[in-house]
Amino acid sequence: MKIILPFTLLMIPGVVISMSVTGYSGGGVTITCGYYDGYKENVKYFCKGQWSTCTDQIRTIKKNKWVQQDRFSLYDDTRSAVFTVTIRDLSERDSGIYYCGTEITGPDPITEVNLKVVTAQQIRSVRGYSGGNIIINFKYEKKHKNHEKCVCKSRADRCLTVINTNRAAEWKHVGRFSVHDDGSAGLLRLFIRELNENDSGEYKITVKVSEEYSFFSEFNLNISDDDCCVKSISLSAAAGGSVNISCKYPQSHSRDVKFLCWRSGDDLCAEETSVNQSRRWSPEGKIRLYDDREEQLLTGSISHVTEQHSEYWCGVQSDQGHKSFITRVLIRVTGTDDFLKLIENHD
């Protein structure tokens, strides 16, 4: 029965009297509430509004399995004596007071949750191509720079962690997955290399703010094998000379920014040149690019070629900054010894 008795709450070990939670529109939050060990078999619920008029959003007697009601999910973990509530697809209308509650005979032990939903732009869908690479950008408020972040892939009722990071290391690598957490910019970048169609699916990026709550963003990754584009091209050039490149891209990316990146070790884009207009050359430099959107063709030239600059990638960039690396460009540099001698003689 819903009768509040604050002194009762203080007598129950592990109960959080009140917590403040921040979520972001379009994303979700996960809230964890503890309860007294003797209440494992009791009904758990999550309601919204002032206590006297609190309306259930979800309520269940089921244990150790997820229960879903519209955008709300609840999992009662009897082994740990906590239950977890997840709210998805948040909007500003979700802001307000909520209560985690355990139904007992007498006053229900409760935890007050003050939820604030902040307007934000979420990742919805990202497209990549078999054999290529992808960089996905996740922006967060800088106050979360030291909080642990986790990337997982959803499968059935589980989300299998593919990689996580914390403030101890800006870079983290696990197999084909890497993350770079730039706290000063409030930006987490997820790298996935050597894409294949099995990488398609729903992913979730979670920021763990405390033991009591975390917020997350879910997006769908779609990996396809487009007939328009070759996965790799090989070229040759004399050391110190120039080489021309030509890369096709899918028609769906005609209006996106095009780029050419030089790869250095694990950094897929150590140096980048981009072009964002059709049939106009990029500014003068070591790399010049020209995008013909009617032909879906990126062309350009690389000058002052060296052995250190022998791998490049052609790709496209979305308006949210996600990069899809489509075609690998390998350059075999010839005459390196002669070029070095020429430089020594010139000096």
Side-chain angles (χ1 to χ4, degrees), residues 55-313:
T55 303
D56 284 346
Q57 305 301 303
I58 189 167
R59 170 184 289 262
T60 185
I61 189 67
K62 294 181 180 179
K63 311 299 173 188
N64 303 310
K65 64 185 300 184
W66 281 104
V67 177
Q68 186 168 341
Q69 178 65 44
D70 298 324
R71 296 181 298 117
F72 292 79
S73 303
L74 190 153
Y75 186 97
D76 185 1
D77 182 355
T78 58
R79 289 176 290 274
S80 302
V82 298
F83 69 92
T84 300
V85 175
T86 296
I87 314 173
R88 287 181 165 80
D89 196 20
L90 290 168
S91 71
E92 288 80 357
R93 295 190 303 273
D94 291 315
S95 295
I97 300 295
Y98 294 79
Y99 290 93
C100 296
T102 301
E103 189 176 87
I104 65 172
T105 301
D108 290 354
I110 58 172
T111 300
E112 181 182 289
V113 179
N114 189 343
L115 174 62
K116 179 183 178 182
V117 179
V118 178
T119 301
Q121 186 179 27
Q122 297 289 335
I123 308 169
R124 291 300 185 189
S125 181
V126 182
R127 185 180 301 171
Y129 297 92
S130 294
N133 312 294
I134 201 163
I135 298 176
I136 298 166
N137 294 324
F138 173 70
K139 296 180 180 179
Y140 57 85
E141 289 188 283
K142 293 180 184 178
K143 65 182 180 181
H144 299 300
K145 66 180 182 179
N146 290 331
H147 292 144
E148 180 182 344
K149 289 115 187 148
C150 174
V151 181
C152 65
K153 184 178 182 182
S154 298
R155 293 182 183 175
D157 60 346
R158 297 182 299 161
C159 198
L160 302 179
T161 299
V162 293
I163 196 164
N164 63 5
T165 186
N166 54 43
R167 61 184 178 181
E170 286 192 345
W171 274 102
K172 185 73 176 291
H173 306 284
V174 177
R176 296 182 296 111
F177 292 79
S178 301
V179 288
H180 179 263
D181 190 6
D182 185 350
S184 62
L187 178 65
L188 181 79
R189 295 194 297 168
L190 169 64
F191 295 69
I192 311 177
R193 296 170 173 80
E194 301 172 19
L195 293 166
N196 60 71
E197 294 185 8
N198 290 331
D199 293 321
S200 295
E202 188 174 273
Y203 289 76
K204 178 162 64 171
I205 300 176
T206 301
V207 179
K208 183 179 179 180
V209 180
S210 68
E211 294 300 322
E212 286 77 37
Y213 94 91
S214 58
F215 66 88
F216 60 84
S217 178
E218 294 174 306
F219 65 91
N220 188 68
L221 177 60
N222 180 23
I223 306 302
S224 60
D225 195 353
D226 200 298
D227 293 335
C228 79
C229 319
V230 296
K231 297 178 181 180
S232 180
I233 56 177
S234 296
L235 305 171
S236 61
S242 299
V243 63
N244 295 325
I245 63 155
S246 178
C247 301
K248 293 283 289 182
Y249 56 82
Q251 186 175 10
S252 58
H253 292 292
S254 291
R255 295 186 176 275
D256 289 338
V257 173
K258 315 304 180 308
F259 65 81
L260 183 70
C261 277
W262 165 57
R263 176 175 179 173
S264 176
D266 288 330
D267 193 343
L268 290 176
C269 207
E271 291 180 12
E272 174 188 342
T273 298
S274 61
V275 59
N276 58 12
Q277 292 180 304
S278 182
R279 295 183 174 177
R280 290 195 179 183
W281 283 97
S282 63
E284 291 282 351
K286 175 182 171 65
I287 300 174
R288 297 203 68 196
L289 298 177
Y290 183 90
D291 180 17
D292 188 334
R293 294 181 176 179
E294 290 189 12
E295 298 295 329
Q296 292 92 55
L297 182 65
L298 178 68
T299 57
S301 63
I302 305 170
S303 60
H304 310 296
V305 174
T306 67
E307 282 189 336
Q308 289 73 31
H309 292 70
S310 59
E311 181 179 348
Y312 292 81
W313 281 87

